[in-house]
């Protein structure tokens, strides 16, 4: 028997806050994973119910003897002990058993657990958040791979400041105390992303689908990536009106223009020094 429970999803909030009715946790820059151990069989699922048990063999050796379903994020640490999204994506994309076995050594993973949904034959989603946390403390002993998330009560601003110099630089999650686990998007769970902001220059645009070529310098020598997200219709209209008379050249994929300054935000820089999923902020 296997069992999948749809995960609880988060709403966005822009700024950190303090509130005694919330628990605050670091946001892990990995990917969502549902861990199911039912009738002696371990199964790993993505948030969309894709079975990925074979991708993370290290999670098959665990401390549980009773049935349990856990919610968390699987993540990878780089050589600087910083959680690295690109590294976990390398693990996630591996499909051949030989490569997966090699990557276990090269890119070890951790499973950061933040909730328990089912235990010893009982659905515990109706328990209050803090009661589920207490149950998780009881059933999950210290373990090198299965790690419990840190929770702070009330002081979200302090935690948000602390995470900026910690391995958990992705941001913060705020969870309303006294709430049940809902298998849907809920305002009881809020994410506050620790964005990086940059001043960049648009050097042109993609022809077939929307995408703006970005550079860190006005001359276009230091590529910053392609902006595809977060640009409202009014800003797009303003941009395309502005560049009517400043086009330089074009090829099969792009039209190149004189530089247009703008401000963007992103999660971090990629290994190649590009902005990761940049989003438009303003001109």
């Amino acid at each position: 028997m296997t069992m999948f429970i749809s995960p609880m999803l988060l709403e966005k909030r822009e700024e950190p806050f303090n509130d005694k009715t919330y628990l605050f946790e670091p946001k892990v820059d990995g990917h969502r994973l549902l861990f199911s151990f039912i009738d002696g069989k371990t199964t790993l699922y993505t948030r969309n119910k894709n079975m990925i048990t074979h991708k993370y063999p290290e999670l098959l050796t665990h401390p549980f003897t009773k049935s349990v379903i856990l919610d968390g994020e699987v993540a990878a640490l780089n050589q600087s002990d910083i959680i690295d999204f690109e590294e976990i994506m390398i693990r996630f994309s591996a499909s051949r058993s030989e490569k997966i076995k090699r990557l276990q050594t090269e890119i070890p993973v951790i499973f950061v657990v933040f909730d328990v949904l089912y235990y010893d034959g009982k659905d515990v989603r109706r328990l209050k958040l803090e009661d589920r946390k207490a149950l998780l403390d009881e059933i999950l002993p210290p373990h090198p791979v299965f790690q419990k998330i840190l929770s702070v009560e009330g002081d979200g601003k302090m935690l948000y400041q602390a995470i900026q110099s910690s391995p958990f630089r992705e941001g913060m999650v705020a969870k309303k105390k006294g709430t049940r686990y809902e298998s849907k998007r809920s305002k009881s769970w809020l994410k506050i992303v620790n964005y990086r902001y940059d001043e960049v220059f648009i050097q042109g645009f993609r022809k077939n689908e929307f995408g703006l070529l970005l550079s860190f310098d006005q001359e276009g020598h230091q590529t910053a990536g392609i902006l595809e997200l977060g640009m409202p219709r009014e800003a797009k209209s303003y941009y395309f009106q502005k560049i009517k008379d400043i086009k330089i050249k074009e090829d099969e994929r792009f039209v190149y223009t004189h530089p247009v300054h703008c401000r963007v935000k992103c999660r971090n820089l990629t290994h190649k020094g590009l902005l990761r999923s940049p989003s438009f902020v303003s001109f």
Side-chain angles (χ1 to χ4, degrees):
M1 174 186 176
T2 61
M3 186 182 298
F4 172 80
I5 295 176
S6 296
M8 188 166 174
L9 304 178
L10 300 87
E11 295 279 1
K12 291 182 180 180
R13 177 153 174 167
E14 291 299 319
E15 299 292 334
F17 62 98
N18 292 341
D19 190 324
K20 291 182 179 179
T21 65
Y22 280 83
L23 295 179
F24 297 92
E25 303 170 353
K27 190 174 185 302
V28 181
D29 198 8
H31 73 77
R32 197 74 172 266
L33 187 138
L34 281 298
F35 171 93
S36 172
F37 178 63
I38 305 291
D39 294 337
K41 181 180 179 181
T42 301
T43 312
L44 309 178
Y45 296 98
T46 68
R47 57 183 276 183
N48 297 315
K49 203 179 177 180
N50 295 315
M51 195 180 299
I52 54 169
T53 312
H54 66 290
K55 292 182 180 292
Y56 304 111
E58 50 265 74
L59 270 62
L60 304 184
T61 302
H62 54 75
F64 304 107
T65 57
K66 296 181 179 179
S67 59
V68 65
I69 297 177
L70 303 174
D71 189 5
E73 293 261 335
V74 62
L77 294 173
N78 62 25
Q79 294 180 350
S80 301
D81 286 333
I82 301 297
I83 289 178
D84 192 318
F85 183 75
E86 288 183 76
E87 296 285 275
I88 196 62
M89 286 298 97
I90 293 172
R91 284 295 306 264
F92 182 75
S93 64
S95 57
R96 292 183 292 107
S97 57
E98 300 84 3
K99 185 174 183 179
I100 291 170
K101 186 175 182 180
R102 173 171 57 81
L103 289 176
Q104 274 187 263
T105 302
E106 296 178 2
I107 308 176
V109 303
I110 56 174
F111 180 41
V112 185
V113 184
F114 48 71
D115 219 321
V116 53
L117 317 184
Y118 181 91
Y119 183 67
D120 194 16
K122 297 179 181 178
D123 187 333
V124 298
R125 286 177 291 170
R126 290 183 174 272
L127 295 178
K128 296 178 182 179
L129 171 64
E130 51 268 43
D131 292 337
R132 299 196 309 273
K133 291 285 190 183
L135 176 60
L136 186 59
D137 287 340
E138 180 182 329
I139 67 176
L140 180 53
H143 192 277
V145 176
F146 289 74
Q147 301 185 13
K148 287 174 287 192
I149 196 72
L150 164 75
S151 293
V152 173
E153 184 175 341
D155 201 342
K157 292 182 179 180
M158 178 274 293
L159 179 62
Y160 190 80
Q161 185 175 8
I163 61 135
Q164 296 181 54
S165 58
S166 79
F168 298 91
R169 296 180 182 177
E170 165 74 355
M172 182 177 71
V173 175
K175 298 180 178 179
K176 185 76 170 177
K177 293 165 61 178
T179 55
R180 299 174 178 179
Y181 187 99
E182 305 174 272
S183 292
K184 63 179 183 178
R185 193 169 300 280
S186 172
K187 292 182 179 179
S188 297
W189 285 15
L190 305 171
K191 61 180 177 181
I192 302 100
V193 177
N194 179 29
Y195 286 112
R196 166 194 170 111
Y197 289 83
D198 285 273
E199 305 291 329
V200 297
F201 296 89
I202 304 170
Q203 302 288 349
F205 60 91
R206 192 163 50 195
K207 288 183 175 180
N208 295 332
E209 56 181 328
F210 178 74
L212 303 180
L213 289 171
L214 302 181
S215 67
F216 289 110
D217 62 317
Q218 192 165 354
E219 293 75 24
H221 300 315
Q222 190 179 358
T223 301
I226 296 180
L227 186 148
E228 301 172 313
L229 306 171
M231 197 170 193
R233 183 179 301 172
E234 297 80 9
K236 289 180 182 178
S237 297
Y238 171 82
Y239 169 72
F240 285 109
Q241 285 291 327
K242 186 177 180 64
I243 64 168
K244 277 186 175 180
D245 300 322
I246 60 172
K247 295 178 183 178
I248 301 174
K249 61 179 181 178
E250 61 181 282
D251 56 27
E252 291 183 1
R253 296 183 61 202
F254 296 100
V255 174
Y256 302 92
T257 69
H258 288 290
V260 176
H261 173 268
C262 76
R263 181 173 171 82
V264 298
K265 64 181 181 180
C266 71
R267 301 294 180 94
N268 50 41
L269 295 181
T270 68
H271 293 174
K272 294 181 179 179
L274 304 178
L275 300 170
R276 175 184 159 195
S277 301
S279 179
F280 176 82
V281 175
S282 64
F283 283 111

